[in-house]
Amino acid sequence: MGPCQDNGGNGGHDAEEAVRYLHCPYCSGAMTMTDGTLECSQGHNFDVAKQGYVNLLRGAAKFSADTAAMVAARADFLAAGHYAPIAGALAALARETAPEAAGGDPGCVVDIGGGTGYHLARVMSEFPDSEGILLDISKFAARRAARAHPRISAVVADAWDGLPLADGAASVVLNVFAPRNPAELRRILRPEGVLLVVTPRPDHLRELVAALGLLRVGEQKDERLADRLSAHFTEVARERSRSTMALDHKALPQLVGMGPNAWHQQSERLEERIARLPEPCDVTLSVTLTAYRPLI
């Protein structure tokens, strides 16, 4: 997030452009940045880490953050392009539903629980005049996200707590396989903005659920999501993305180890189960992408 931060060959990033969308997690005051330190008018200050992200956590997080090993597994799996259909569909939906820029400040694109920045980086290609802000509870994810794209700033924050963003800062909010706080999402989104949510469908990874002992996706997941958001948002578009991934025995443990299933697996037992599967193993990728407008 620091000025002229090295972004893996993508050029420098002047974080001053993103700071105007942030606010202090303690007093909600506007933030400024001087010499690599964010500070609000009340004197709360936060140093930008040498890896390029800033930690705006307010106390202990409610849930465990992804570990370095989980983030590394996700980075490797995503870099291989296995979830490219999701990123592509998300970028297309963002382009179709985002508010038209009418001069002035275009607002930022925010990714809540954005991990390594893979999906946000793809979406940012559709919005050349906007800044991207990624929030994740894991500092290991934030380190990678800070280098994912020249216009992404990475912030460590808790999606279940108050988001360290100004009211109406975002024109687009992304939420991919991540927790969501409906009231806070509505607060940070502009009245004409759009919230894009990606959720797994019941047949997602169906070939691996029994074979590897993975967590199951509930049959009514989309309906429960719509019910939770209904007090603050109205659905305006919904589409499904379904394809088949051919995964070798290197990709399979990465897939298991990069998300919630990692907390429920024993490595030796997982290796034994994977060894019994064909190589490559055809695995279903199945998600719902839903666009919401905020209620006025």
Side-chain angles (χ1 to χ4, degrees):
M1 187 173 178
C4 300
Q5 183 68 30
D6 178 10
N7 288 280
N10 290 320
H13 177 214
D14 185 355
E16 295 289 352
E17 295 297 319
V19 168
R20 69 182 187 271
Y21 298 117
L22 299 176
H23 77 191
C24 177
Y26 294 103
C27 68
S28 298
M31 308 277 277
T32 58
M33 187 170 72
T34 304
D35 296 331
T37 298
L38 292 179
E39 186 172 2
C40 73
S41 59
Q42 299 300 312
H44 301 116
N45 57 77
F46 311 87
D47 291 334
V48 176
K50 64 181 181 179
Q51 296 90 350
Y53 69 92
V54 64
N55 190 334
L56 297 183
L57 270 179
R58 183 175 61 180
K62 295 182 179 180
F63 296 97
S64 298
D66 288 352
T67 64
M70 293 171 68
V71 171
R74 182 179 304 151
D76 291 343
F77 185 85
L78 295 176
H82 301 303
Y83 274 12
I86 298 178
L90 183 63
L93 187 59
R95 182 177 62 249
E96 294 165 8
T97 58
E100 292 289 337
D105 187 348
C108 61
V109 181
V110 175
D111 193 349
I112 306 295
T116 62
Y118 175 80
H119 297 291
L120 179 56
R122 176 64 182 84
V123 171
M124 290 304 296
S125 65
E126 306 294 336
F127 301 95
D129 297 324
S130 293
E131 290 293 312
I133 298 178
L134 181 144
L135 285 76
D136 199 280
I137 198 175
S138 170
K139 66 179 182 181
F140 302 109
R143 287 174 181 174
R144 291 180 182 265
R147 303 190 301 272
H149 189 278
R151 286 182 285 115
I152 289 178
S153 292
V155 178
V156 177
D158 185 355
W160 293 110
D161 199 1
L163 300 174
L165 292 162
D167 294 355
S171 57
V172 179
V173 174
L174 311 178
N175 184 260
V176 183
F177 297 160
R180 62 199 67 88
N181 181 332
E184 276 294 278
L185 295 179
R186 173 63 188 89
R187 181 186 65 78
I188 68 170
L189 190 61
R190 296 184 171 192
E192 72 279 11
V194 64
L195 166 66
L196 303 178
V197 181
V198 179
T199 51
R201 294 188 53 74
D203 59 338
H204 183 57
L205 311 183
R206 63 183 178 84
E207 297 84 358
L208 303 180
V209 171
L212 301 183
L214 304 188
L215 299 171
R216 295 181 180 273
V217 177
E219 292 289 339
Q220 304 300 318
K221 189 175 183 68
D222 288 343
E223 288 72 14
R224 291 197 301 272
L225 170 65
D227 184 63
R228 285 200 64 215
L229 294 176
S230 62
H232 301 279
F233 295 91
T234 183
E235 181 180 319
V236 294
R238 179 186 294 197
E239 61 185 55
R240 296 175 180 176
S241 175
R242 192 176 191 275
S243 56
T244 300
M245 304 178 288
L247 303 181
D248 60 22
H249 285 192
K250 178 181 179 181
L252 287 172
Q254 292 170 350
L255 174 61
V256 176
M258 72 182 196
N261 285 292
W263 303 107
H264 305 277
Q265 294 285 340
Q266 295 180 344
S267 59
E268 292 184 2
R269 178 63 174 146
L270 178 62
E271 290 175 5
E272 294 173 0
R273 288 175 165 179
I274 288 176
R276 300 191 190 109
L277 294 174
E279 187 174 24
C281 181
D282 289 339
V283 179
T284 299
L285 174 62
S286 181
V287 301
T288 300
L289 300 95
T290 312
Y292 297 90
R293 300 280 185 210
L295 295 174
I296 305 301

